[in-house]
Amino acid sequence: MGQSVDWFVMLLTGALLLIWIYRALYNWLHAPPGMKRLRLGKGGEWSADEPSVHLLESNGYTVTSGKHRVPITIGWNGSRLQSRLYIDYVAERDGNVYVVKCARDRQPMDWTGSGMRDRLIAYALMLPESSGVLYVDAVERTVHEITFELGVSER
Protein backbone atom coordinates (compact mmCIF):
# COMPACT_ATOMS: atom_id res chain seq x y z
CA MET A 1 0.00 0.00 0.00
CA GLY A 2 2.84 2.40 0.84
CA GLN A 3 4.38 2.00 -2.59
CA SER A 4 1.13 2.92 -4.39
CA VAL A 5 0.83 6.10 -2.27
CA ASP A 6 4.39 7.04 -3.23
CA TRP A 7 3.58 6.54 -6.93
CA PHE A 8 0.41 8.58 -6.60
CA VAL A 9 2.28 11.49 -4.93
CA MET A 10 5.02 11.37 -7.59
CA LEU A 11 2.47 11.35 -10.45
CA LEU A 12 0.50 14.17 -8.87
CA THR A 13 3.67 16.21 -8.34
CA GLY A 14 4.80 15.54 -11.90
CA ALA A 15 1.39 16.53 -13.31
CA LEU A 16 1.37 19.77 -11.31
CA LEU A 17 4.90 20.55 -12.43
CA LEU A 18 3.99 19.97 -16.08
CA ILE A 19 0.91 22.17 -15.77
CA TRP A 20 2.99 24.92 -14.14
CA ILE A 21 5.64 24.73 -16.91
CA TYR A 22 2.94 24.75 -19.61
CA ARG A 23 1.23 27.84 -18.10
CA ALA A 24 4.52 29.72 -17.71
CA LEU A 25 5.52 28.96 -21.30
CA TYR A 26 2.04 29.85 -22.60
CA ASN A 27 2.04 33.19 -20.74
CA TRP A 28 5.55 33.98 -21.92
CA LEU A 29 4.68 33.25 -25.56
CA HIS A 30 1.44 35.23 -25.49
CA ALA A 31 2.64 38.23 -23.51
CA PRO A 32 3.06 41.50 -25.42
CA PRO A 33 6.62 42.31 -26.36
CA GLY A 34 8.32 44.12 -23.51
CA MET A 35 9.61 47.64 -23.67
CA LYS A 36 13.29 48.30 -23.42
CA ARG A 37 13.46 49.06 -19.73
CA LEU A 38 15.73 51.77 -18.51
CA ARG A 39 17.97 50.70 -15.68
CA LEU A 40 19.68 53.47 -13.78
CA GLY A 41 22.97 52.93 -12.05
CA LYS A 42 24.15 54.99 -9.12
CA GLY A 43 24.42 58.12 -11.25
CA GLY A 44 26.81 60.96 -10.72
CA GLU A 45 28.12 62.29 -7.46
CA TRP A 46 25.95 64.49 -5.27
CA SER A 47 26.59 66.33 -2.08
CA ALA A 48 24.33 67.07 0.88
CA ASP A 49 25.58 70.67 0.56
CA GLU A 50 23.70 71.16 -2.72
CA PRO A 51 20.61 73.33 -2.14
CA SER A 52 18.28 70.91 -3.95
CA VAL A 53 19.52 67.92 -1.96
CA HIS A 54 19.20 69.84 1.30
CA LEU A 55 15.65 70.91 0.38
CA LEU A 56 14.66 67.33 -0.49
CA GLU A 57 16.08 65.99 2.77
CA SER A 58 14.34 68.70 4.81
CA ASN A 59 11.05 67.60 3.20
CA GLY A 60 11.57 63.97 4.24
CA TYR A 61 13.08 62.56 1.03
CA THR A 62 16.32 60.61 0.82
CA VAL A 63 18.44 61.15 -2.28
CA THR A 64 19.53 57.71 -3.44
CA SER A 65 21.14 58.48 -6.76
CA GLY A 66 22.93 61.39 -8.40
CA LYS A 67 22.62 62.93 -11.80
CA HIS A 68 21.90 60.65 -14.77
CA ARG A 69 22.40 61.28 -18.46
CA VAL A 70 20.06 59.11 -20.55
CA PRO A 71 21.17 58.93 -24.21
CA ILE A 72 18.41 58.79 -26.82
CA THR A 73 18.78 57.81 -30.46
CA ILE A 74 16.06 59.21 -32.70
CA GLY A 75 15.30 57.81 -36.13
CA TRP A 76 14.24 60.57 -38.52
CA ASN A 77 13.62 60.02 -42.26
CA GLY A 78 16.19 57.25 -42.44
CA SER A 79 18.88 59.12 -40.49
CA ARG A 80 19.76 58.85 -36.83
CA LEU A 81 19.94 61.77 -34.43
CA GLN A 82 21.46 61.73 -30.96
CA SER A 83 19.91 63.44 -27.98
CA ARG A 84 19.70 62.94 -24.21
CA LEU A 85 17.56 63.53 -21.17
CA TYR A 86 18.94 64.45 -17.79
CA ILE A 87 17.61 63.21 -14.47
CA ASP A 88 18.90 65.38 -11.67
CA TYR A 89 18.39 62.90 -8.82
CA VAL A 90 16.44 59.87 -7.73
CA ALA A 91 14.87 60.18 -4.28
CA GLU A 92 12.81 57.98 -1.95
CA ARG A 93 10.27 58.57 0.77
CA ASP A 94 8.07 56.01 2.54
CA GLY A 95 9.16 53.26 0.15
CA ASN A 96 8.22 55.30 -2.94
CA VAL A 97 10.81 56.19 -5.59
CA TYR A 98 10.71 59.55 -7.38
CA VAL A 99 12.53 61.05 -10.35
CA VAL A 100 13.79 64.52 -9.43
CA LYS A 101 13.99 67.49 -11.80
CA CYS A 102 15.39 70.78 -10.60
CA ALA A 103 14.06 74.18 -11.68
CA ARG A 104 16.11 76.11 -14.21
CA ASP A 105 15.99 79.88 -14.69
CA ARG A 106 16.06 79.53 -18.47
CA GLN A 107 13.19 77.00 -18.50
CA PRO A 108 10.37 78.22 -16.24
CA MET A 109 7.63 75.70 -15.50
CA ASP A 110 4.19 76.24 -16.97
CA TRP A 111 1.95 75.11 -14.08
CA THR A 112 -0.91 73.97 -16.28
CA GLY A 113 -1.88 70.39 -17.04
CA SER A 114 -0.47 70.56 -20.54
CA GLY A 115 2.67 72.40 -19.39
CA MET A 116 3.52 69.81 -16.75
CA ARG A 117 2.64 66.97 -19.14
CA ASP A 118 4.86 68.29 -21.93
CA ARG A 119 7.78 68.97 -19.62
CA LEU A 120 7.72 66.03 -17.21
CA ILE A 121 5.81 63.03 -18.58
CA ALA A 122 8.90 61.68 -20.35
CA TYR A 123 10.49 61.07 -16.94
CA ALA A 124 7.44 59.24 -15.60
CA LEU A 125 7.29 57.08 -18.74
CA MET A 126 11.02 56.32 -18.66
CA LEU A 127 10.74 54.85 -15.18
CA PRO A 128 7.21 53.46 -14.83
CA GLU A 129 8.07 51.91 -11.47
CA SER A 130 8.55 55.41 -10.02
CA SER A 131 5.78 56.98 -7.95
CA GLY A 132 6.07 60.31 -9.71
CA VAL A 133 8.29 63.26 -10.48
CA LEU A 134 9.53 65.75 -7.92
CA TYR A 135 10.07 69.26 -9.24
CA VAL A 136 12.47 71.06 -6.91
CA ASP A 137 12.89 74.83 -6.94
CA ALA A 138 15.76 75.66 -4.59
CA VAL A 139 15.31 79.43 -5.06
CA GLU A 140 11.64 79.37 -3.98
CA ARG A 141 12.33 76.50 -1.54
CA THR A 142 9.52 74.32 -2.91
CA VAL A 143 9.17 70.65 -3.76
CA HIS A 144 6.24 69.76 -6.01
CA GLU A 145 5.16 66.12 -6.36
CA ILE A 146 3.66 65.41 -9.79
CA THR A 147 2.02 62.10 -10.66
CA PHE A 148 0.57 60.90 -13.95
CA GLU A 149 -2.27 58.40 -14.36
CA LEU A 150 -2.54 57.21 -17.94
CA GLY A 151 -5.86 56.11 -19.40
CA VAL A 152 -7.96 57.40 -16.49
CA SER A 153 -10.67 59.87 -17.51
CA GLU A 154 -12.86 61.86 -15.15
CA ARG A 155 -15.95 62.52 -17.30
Side-chain angles (χ1 to χ4, degrees), residues 21-36:
I21 290 171
Y22 170 77
R23 296 279 301 161
L25 187 60
Y26 181 87
N27 289 335
W28 177 68
L29 288 173
H30 291 88
M35 292 177 43
K36 292 182 181 176

Side-chain angles (χ1 to χ4, degrees), residues 121 124-125 131-132 146-154:
I121 198 164
L125 294 174
S131 297
I146 298 108
T147 60
F148 297 95
E149 293 181 34
L150 302 177
V152 178
S153 178
E154 291 186 15

Side-chain angles (χ1 to χ4, degrees), residues 36 70-76 79-85:
K36 292 182 181 176
V70 181
I72 301 171
T73 301
I74 303 166
W76 178 58
S79 61
R80 296 173 70 80
L81 304 173
Q82 300 297 318
S83 187
R84 66 216 149 280
L85 279 175

Side-chain angles (χ1 to χ4, degrees), residues 104-125:
R104 305 278 188 263
D105 289 337
R106 294 183 292 159
Q107 297 174 331
M109 177 61 79
D110 177 12
W111 292 109
T112 62
S114 60
M116 289 185 283
R117 176 203 63 213
D118 292 346
R119 182 89 175 274
L120 300 174
I121 198 164
Y123 300 101
L125 294 174

